Amino acid sequence: MKALLLAGGLGTRLRPLTENIPKPMAPIANRPWLEHLIIHLRDQGVNEFVIAAHHCSEVIRRYFGDGKSWNVNITYALEPFPLGTAGAIKNAERWLDERFLVFNADIVHLPQLIPLLDFHRQHGGIATIVLTEVDDPSSYGVVEQDDQGQILRFIEKPRREEAPSNRINAGMYILEPDVMRYIPAEQEVSIERETFPRLIEENTGVYGIVSSGYWRDMGTPARYRQVHWDALNREFPLPIKGREIQPGVFVGENVKISSGVLFVPPVLIGHNVKIGHQAVIGPYAVIGDDCQIGSRVHCAHTIVWDRSLIRDRSRLQNSIFGYRTVTPAGEVFEDSIINQFKEAVQA
């Protein structure tokens, strides 16, 4: 089974963190989200991946290479300019000559594939759109379906009381190769706004099925933080590296904790981290690999990416710090997003 991972977007809503990395490469619990997704799909039998990339594509290629380190095969479909979701699929056509999966790689969701694939085989249509259910559909495009699950139409941002359902596009598709005939080449095309409505109009068989489990678009700083807090709370059962040294406090290998350090759970500390005297870490703190946290630092509701240096007496609250950030001693950061380093993430 092949999966196409759409990773070519610019990630503008998550800037400045995504100025020098693609959004799917932003770490979740100290591992790039794209790596979490590939591992999850591999463990369900997907071993062939095509990654559609444009913005900072070299970051993905340097990190994953040909995929052999993950026991998968990875090919890259590089976009000469942003092609949109359908345009990126068309651009990868040469590698997609049989039924394939498509994932918007910046959506945080770990689906169980077997029931989705069974549903697709049974209905016999050209496309399955995986759906998720939301409490308030008024901010989304919702679907109207018949009793067999066939999608009749999309309704964009309906009033809550007028919505035909609370089901929205979850950013995953199962497609037959014939879908390529409906996508023009070498131009920007949206599968959501252009291709799917055309397929429905021409009665090619577009069906939808709900995938249960955790789902979130991590495209804004607030949503990106919330994915971490949900992972720490275990509302999102993402695999976490490290041992639990006290309830809700996970620590990686070779971590040096000085005297007087207080952990207020939930907390995740990466590998090779040094924490100075009388630092207070948490609640809701994620410290990446190879970081140094100075003495008397207070860090709460904050994510610090790998190889950062937080100097003595710094206070971090509700903030995100990119790779290799260095903070001045005694500085207060609140509601901050800092990205100082211009080198790509390393495997």
Side-chain angles (χ1 to χ4, degrees):
M1 194 78 193
K2 287 186 179 180
L4 173 64
L5 308 181
L6 302 180
L10 299 177
T12 54
R13 295 178 299 163
L14 206 54
R15 285 181 177 171
L17 296 170
T18 51
E19 286 181 353
N20 53 320
I21 65 168
K23 184 166 54 173
M25 290 298 288
I28 302 292
N30 294 337
R31 172 182 280 171
W33 167 246
L34 193 58
E35 185 177 3
H36 283 293
L37 180 60
I38 287 172
I39 290 171
H40 176 78
L41 297 176
R42 177 203 66 193
D43 290 348
Q44 295 188 75
V46 180
N47 54 20
E48 297 280 343
F49 292 88
V50 180
I51 299 180
H54 173 69
H55 171 63
C56 296
S57 62
E58 70 282 357
V59 175
I60 300 175
R61 287 183 288 163
R62 279 203 298 263
Y63 190 91
F64 290 105
D66 60 8
K68 292 296 189 295
S69 296
W70 287 264
N71 294 316
V72 299
N73 295 317
I74 297 177
T75 303
Y76 298 91
L78 302 182
E79 302 175 38
F81 56 89
L83 290 170
T85 45
I89 294 170
K90 183 70 173 180
N91 188 56
E93 182 175 10
R94 75 192 77 170
W95 297 289
L96 303 172
D97 55 358
E98 57 187 28
R99 180 180 299 153
F100 61 97
L101 308 169
V102 179
F103 292 84
N104 287 348
D106 57 351
I107 297 294
V108 178
H109 181 53
L110 297 175
Q112 297 302 309
L113 295 183
I114 290 177
L116 306 179
L117 291 167
D118 286 345
F119 174 78
H120 182 83
R121 281 190 288 265
Q122 289 165 9
H123 70 63
I126 198 171
T128 294
I129 302 175
V130 177
L131 308 172
T132 189
E133 295 179 327
V134 296
D135 292 333
D136 182 2
S138 61
S139 298
Y140 301 93
V142 302
V143 300
E144 181 178 353
Q145 297 174 271
D146 65 17
D147 293 340
Q148 284 72 46
Q150 186 165 358
I151 295 176
L152 306 176
R153 59 175 178 152
F154 295 93
I155 303 173
E156 188 64 26
K157 297 182 179 179
R159 294 171 58 181
R160 189 170 187 174
E161 62 274 14
E162 296 175 354
S165 75
N166 64 339
R167 296 179 173 185
I168 67 169
N169 182 344
M172 174 191 166
Y173 319 114
I174 305 171
L175 302 178
E176 297 297 324
D178 282 353
V179 77
M180 298 297 183
R181 297 192 294 111
Y182 298 87
I183 306 173
E186 299 180 353
Q187 66 185 68
E188 183 177 358
V189 187
S190 166
I191 198 168
E192 300 88 351
R193 294 189 300 272
E194 299 173 71
T195 308
F196 284 143
R198 180 183 174 188
L199 293 175
I200 291 169
E201 182 179 350
E202 298 193 20
N203 198 30
T204 59
V206 178
Y207 289 75
I209 181 175
V210 172
S211 176
S212 59
Y214 187 88
W215 182 92
R216 190 175 290 275
D217 173 0
M218 70 171 187
T220 68
R223 292 173 182 172
Y224 176 73
R225 279 193 294 263
Q226 191 60 51
V227 171
H228 280 85
W229 310 157
D230 293 342
L232 291 180
N233 282 333
R234 311 313 292 153
E235 293 178 26
F236 176 31
L238 189 70
I240 288 180
K241 297 185 292 184
R243 58 191 177 91
E244 195 169 11
I245 62 169
Q246 70 182 67
V249 177
F250 298 87
V251 173
E253 299 175 0
N254 193 31
V255 173
K256 297 180 180 179
I257 303 170
S258 300
S259 61
V261 171
L262 175 63
F263 292 117
V264 183
V267 169
L268 172 62
I269 308 294
H271 303 312
N272 308 311
V273 174
K274 297 178 181 179
I275 304 177
H277 300 284
Q278 296 182 323
V280 180
I281 310 297
Y284 294 101
V286 176
I287 309 296
D289 296 346
D290 303 298
C291 287
Q292 296 185 48
I293 308 299
S295 299
R296 297 182 176 85
V297 166
H298 284 218
C299 176
H301 294 90
T302 289
I303 301 159
V304 181
W305 291 8
D306 296 354
R307 303 185 296 282
S308 291
L309 171 60
I310 309 300
R311 297 194 187 275
D312 296 350
R313 303 184 310 283
S314 297
R315 301 181 69 90
L316 319 178
Q317 175 69 36
N318 203 42
S319 295
I320 307 171
F321 296 86
Y323 291 113
R324 291 197 180 182
T325 296
V326 178
T327 68
E331 194 78 15
V332 176
F333 295 89
E334 187 167 356
D335 299 319
S336 299
I337 302 174
I338 309 294
N339 182 28
Q340 301 171 337
F341 190 56
K342 300 304 179 186
E343 183 176 305
V345 60
Q346 299 174 353

